Amino acid sequence: EAGVVQSPRYKIIEKKQPVAFWCNPISGHNTLYWYRQNLGQGPELLIRYENEEAVDDSQLPKDRFSAERLKGVDSTLKIQPAELGDSAVYLCASSFGGLAGTQETQYFGPGTRLLVL
Amino acid sequence: GNSVTQMEGPVTLSEEAFLTINCTYTATGYPSLFWYVQYPGEGLQLLLKATKADDKGSNKGFEATYRKETTSFHLEKGSVQVSDSAVYFCALSVNGNQFYFGTGTSLTVIP
């Protein structure tokens, strides 16, 4: 079974340019997460989708970040315009949301390493 | 609130040494606890998990026991190998879909 797929793996852009990341979750996983991981830190949630609905975007900097998951499968995260401080690894993860109250395991993609110059 | 605190690294051990990486948590409700491992250049991989108090998660020689009385989930391995060199993240989950990660502990095992 294929894991979580992300592209590109690496991206170098100049500040003020736009950038987009793509994620395809594990087949059948209805919950999708985007995280940002700064160097030497743990992942921090940006947005969580249940199917096509964004149910937690409280940590997403909405002035420059946007995300979509139109058909409830793959997802795109966009930054426009990028700033120097956006340099980080952007991780996508997915899980199968089972019964309410059950604890589900997340599966992570390899991440996109972004460098803003 | 919900948070995870894990021991700071980096940790350097000789091959076959005993490993302990401490992790404590605060949580509302009854969280599940996880250890993830991140090898260089790769994404996070689930190493083990425990879903209720006194459960022991284990995988690849690693173990961690969910201790509710001490709010801890320390990671242990009796004999580390060079291939265990990676960054280890402790995490908790509440409500099945909200995850909180520690800052990670870098482990280097030298031959």
Side-chain angles (χ1 to χ4, degrees), chain B residues 36-102:
Chain B
Y36 281 83
V37 58
Q38 187 173 33
Y39 298 103
E42 299 184 13
L44 279 73
Q45 303 174 23
L46 178 67
L47 180 60
L48 54 85
K49 70 176 183 180
T51 58
K52 62 184 186 295
D54 299 325
D55 270 2
K56 177 186 285 187
S58 60
N59 185 26
K60 300 181 181 180
F62 291 88
E63 293 183 341
T65 301
Y66 189 143
R67 301 288 188 196
K68 186 177 179 181
E69 64 276 12
T70 55
T71 62
S72 65
F73 193 56
H74 304 321
L75 182 68
E76 296 182 337
K77 186 174 186 182
S79 176
V80 293
Q81 304 300 311
V82 172
S83 58
D84 294 327
S85 298
V87 181
Y88 292 82
F89 292 91
C90 186
L92 70 83
S93 167
V94 295
N95 301 324
N97 49 31
Q98 294 176 291
F99 286 80
Y100 302 85
F101 289 84

Side-chain angles (χ1 to χ4, degrees), chain A residues 41-52:
Chain A
Q41 300 295 315
E44 296 177 334
L45 181 70
L46 291 173
I47 189 168
R48 173 169 60 90
Y49 283 93
E50 298 286 346
N51 299 305
E52 65 274 10

Side-chain angles (χ1 to χ4, degrees), chain A residues 2-16:
Chain A
V4 177
V5 179
Q6 290 188 247
S7 68
R9 292 294 309 274
Y10 305 92
K11 189 74 176 179
I12 301 174
I13 61 171
E14 294 186 345
K15 63 181 181 181
K16 300 184 181 180

Side-chain angles (χ1 to χ4, degrees), chain B residues 18-35:
Chain B
F18 184 85
L19 168 71
T20 299
I21 301 178
N22 291 336
C23 172
T24 58
Y25 68 90
T26 58
T28 55
Y30 302 96
S32 286
L33 301 173
F34 304 80
W35 277 101

Side-chain angles (χ1 to χ4, degrees), chain A residues 8-31:
Chain A
R9 292 294 309 274
Y10 305 92
K11 189 74 176 179
I12 301 174
I13 61 171
E14 294 186 345
K15 63 181 181 181
K16 300 184 181 180
Q17 294 299 306
V19 65
F21 314 124
W22 177 80
C23 172
N24 192 36
I26 292 173
S27 177
H29 282 192
N30 56 332
T31 305

